[in-house]
């Protein structure tokens, strides 16, 4: 959706105001945005604010660069992607790819839920607070994050949103490397499974843009991974090797996991490297927990996929008739001829119950091994030395 509050928060993705500190202020006019954007936006003071947009009917227009951006009210999002591409675009922007991922609007379970709950615990959004989901994808997590009084807004480079998200969550299409938001627009934000899809300069761009968006007193939660591993990860790799072999033998569906990881760039070499990138962006890592996936490897990567595979091979009784036999056969208008259609169905109540129970088992990975240094991690970032001044008006 596009709420009036969202329209107050958005800005031109590529235009900076002329006022800033002595280092980053510039003469009025678009030339300073076009030529000196990167230096000015990274200024130690937090950089200039971005230029507000004016609503003109169904478009938002920028008085600085003259661009106009579409308000796609029927589709439920504001289209604020930069007119000119910023860098490589991930394959998540491809519609067919999204269909194959088969996201549903059911609550997140298993490792997705472990990550979502770590976000809620570390970011701890207050009641009434609007949290920004950076790289929200179809909007599944934004729907979940909007529980308990907090609300979420989402931004993603691809505009393929779940119907429920488009109806109930403020959504923006935009490039995370040029976030179309005013300074301090969202005092808290999170990004899960996103940074690994960007190259080094891209990660730095996202951190810089996120710092401006959360403002001086803001908080930013990330889940991503550095290219290092603990001794525990050897166990996970052995399980994954087994899963891969079973996949090759046709005993397990390895495709979706492979799909998700297929455009990982993995630019973050180590935790020290990540801290250095944060420092360059004016952020610091205030808290970090590691994610050693011991229980996940056995339960989700192996056990559940074997189970799913066994289940899929059984002939489905309700298939041919399309009867209203069970909770598993909701009519899905958008389901098209597509090989992963079955897995895109929302889980039934029994499956959901079982998945919730298994999620608790998976949480042991964080409880027991959260202090053991390894690649994947949950991080809470804060702007450096900015807390005392509080968020901007
Ligand atoms: Zn400055
Ligand atoms: Zn401009
Ligand atoms: Zn502009």
């Amino acid at each position: 959706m596009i709420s009036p509050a969202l329209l107050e928060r958005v800005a031109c993705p590529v235009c900076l105001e002329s006022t800033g500190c002595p280092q980053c202020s510039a003469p009025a006019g678009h030339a300073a945005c076009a030529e000196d954007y990167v230096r000015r936006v990274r200024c130690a003071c937090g950089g200039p604010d971005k230029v507000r947009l004016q609503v003109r009917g169904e478009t938002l227009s920028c008085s600085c660069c003259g661009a106009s951006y579409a308000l796609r009210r029927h589709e439920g999002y504001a289209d604020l992607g930069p007119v000119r591409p910023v860098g490589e675009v991930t394959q998540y922007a491809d519609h067919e790819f999204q269909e194959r991922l088969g996201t549903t609007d059911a609550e997140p379970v298993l490792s997705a839920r472990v990550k979502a709950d770590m976000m809620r615990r570390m970011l701890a959004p207050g009641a009434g607070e609007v949290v920004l989901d950076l790289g929200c994808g179809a909007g599944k997590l934004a729907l979940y994050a909007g529980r308990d009084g907090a609300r979420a807004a989402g931004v993603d480079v691809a505009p393929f949103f779940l119907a429920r998200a488009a109806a109930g969550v403020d959504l923006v299409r935009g490039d995370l490397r040029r976030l179309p938001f005013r300074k301090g627009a969202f005092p808290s934000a999170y990004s899960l499974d996103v940074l690994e899809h960007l190259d080094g300069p891209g990660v730095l761009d996202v951190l810089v843009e996120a710092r401006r968006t959360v403002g001086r007193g803001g908080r930013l939660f990330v889940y991503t991974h550095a290219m290092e591993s603990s001794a525990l990860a050897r166990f996970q790799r052995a399980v994954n090797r087994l899963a891969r072999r079973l996949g090759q033998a046709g005993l397990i569906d390895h495709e979706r996991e492979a799909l998700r990881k297929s455009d990982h760039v993995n630019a973050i070499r180590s935790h020290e490297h990540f801290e250095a990138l944060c420092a360059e962006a004016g952020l610091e890592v205030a808290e970090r927990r590691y994610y050693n996936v011991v229980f996940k490897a056995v339960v989700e990567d192996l056990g559940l996929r074997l189970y799913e595979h066994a289940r899929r091979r059984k002939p489905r009784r309700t298939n041919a008739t399309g009867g209203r036999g069970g909770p598993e056969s909701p009519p899905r208008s958008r389901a098209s001829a597509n090989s992963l259609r079955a897995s895109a169905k929302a889980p039934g109540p029994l499956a959901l119950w079982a998945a919730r129970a298994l999620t608790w088992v998976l949480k042991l990975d964080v409880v027991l091994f959260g202090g053991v240094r390894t690649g994947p991690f949950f991080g809470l970032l804060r702007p450096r030395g900015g807390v005392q001044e509080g968020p901007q008006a």
Side-chain angles (χ1 to χ4, degrees):
M1 66 177 190
I2 303 172
S3 74
L6 179 68
L7 294 177
E8 288 298 309
R9 295 181 166 112
V10 295
C12 182
V14 296
C15 286
L16 299 171
E17 289 183 346
S18 54
T19 47
C21 78
Q23 271 76 48
C24 64
S25 59
H30 187 59
C33 320
E35 287 151 27
D36 209 11
Y37 180 92
V38 172
R39 187 191 67 81
R40 294 180 62 208
V41 82
R42 287 183 189 175
C43 183
C45 77
D49 205 345
K50 282 198 170 176
V51 174
R52 252 187 214 288
L53 296 169
Q54 278 98 47
V55 184
R56 297 231 173 96
E58 288 310 291
T59 61
L60 292 167
S61 68
C62 175
S63 58
C64 182
C65 67
S68 67
Y69 302 93
L71 290 172
R72 304 192 190 279
R73 292 189 193 271
H74 293 295
E75 289 126 289
Y77 69 93
D79 195 346
L80 289 159
V83 177
R84 266 184 268 160
V86 184
E88 292 289 310
V89 173
T90 116
Q91 62 177 339
Y92 279 77
D94 179 70
H95 191 205
E96 195 199 337
F97 180 82
Q98 293 276 347
E99 295 244 307
R100 284 160 76 201
L101 279 179
T103 309
T104 72
D105 63 6
E107 69 180 60
V109 290
L110 302 164
S111 57
R113 177 63 158 268
V114 173
K115 295 172 195 173
D117 285 350
M118 282 301 281
M119 179 274 287
R120 281 154 49 103
R121 200 174 66 91
M122 287 170 74
L123 201 57
E129 192 173 347
V130 184
V131 186
L132 179 64
D133 186 330
L134 297 164
C136 66
K140 185 185 181 80
L141 186 55
L143 285 170
Y144 177 72
R147 288 178 161 195
D148 302 338
R151 285 186 297 131
V155 54
D156 201 274
V157 70
F160 310 123
F161 304 114
L162 292 163
R164 257 181 70 212
V169 174
D170 273 328
L171 293 171
V172 168
R173 191 185 78 84
D175 194 306
L176 301 190
R177 295 164 292 191
R178 292 292 184 277
L179 282 176
F181 301 113
R182 300 267 297 167
K183 223 177 201 182
F186 296 94
S188 61
Y190 61 84
S191 109
L192 273 76
D193 294 307
V194 170
L195 296 181
E196 59 269 30
H197 296 277
L198 293 147
D199 57 15
V203 172
L204 183 57
D205 277 344
V206 174
L207 292 173
V208 167
E209 296 284 321
R211 177 191 66 163
R212 187 197 62 256
T213 302
V214 301
R216 278 185 182 279
R219 306 166 339 271
L220 174 64
F221 173 89
V222 298
Y223 172 73
T224 185
H225 56 256
M227 293 307 286
E228 55 179 84
S229 58
S230 65
L232 283 167
R234 256 183 256 145
F235 172 77
Q236 180 219 349
R237 277 201 296 274
V239 175
N240 281 349
R241 265 200 304 279
L242 178 59
R244 202 158 45 239
R245 272 200 214 125
L246 294 174
Q248 283 157 2
L251 287 172
I252 203 172
D253 174 22
H254 205 68
E255 193 191 0
R256 273 205 283 172
E257 185 66 7
L259 261 184
R260 253 196 291 270
K261 291 184 175 169
S262 55
D263 79 344
H264 277 192
V265 180
N266 299 326
I268 301 168
R269 296 188 298 274
S270 65
H271 295 294
E272 287 75 16
H273 181 214
F274 183 67
E275 280 165 15
L277 287 167
C278 285
E280 211 176 330
L283 293 161
E284 61 193 1
V285 183
E287 191 185 343
R288 176 164 47 212
R289 294 285 283 171
Y290 301 101
Y291 194 25
N292 283 283
V293 287
V294 175
F295 288 94
K296 175 191 179 276
V298 177
V299 173
E300 186 170 330
D301 300 347
L302 192 59
L304 277 182
R305 273 194 256 157
L306 277 170
Y307 171 75
E308 246 176 44
H309 180 82
R311 210 162 148 270
R312 218 172 291 163
R313 283 166 57 109
K314 279 193 206 153
R316 303 180 77 97
R317 270 162 293 158
T318 51
N319 249 7
T321 58
R324 307 169 55 229
E328 287 193 311
S329 51
R332 293 188 71 86
S333 52
R334 273 188 66 248
S336 54
N338 145 11
S339 62
L340 281 175
R341 192 175 149 192
S343 56
K345 277 186 182 164
L350 193 64
L352 204 54
W353 181 87
R356 278 189 200 132
L358 287 174
T359 301
W360 283 101
V361 177
L362 262 54
K363 285 192 176 182
L364 290 174
D365 279 333
V366 182
V367 175
L368 297 176
F369 312 123
V372 180
R373 175 168 170 154
T374 190
F377 67 99
F378 309 95
L380 182 69
L381 319 181
R382 291 179 183 280
R384 296 189 133 197
V387 188
Q388 65 275 25
E389 288 185 49
Q392 289 79 2

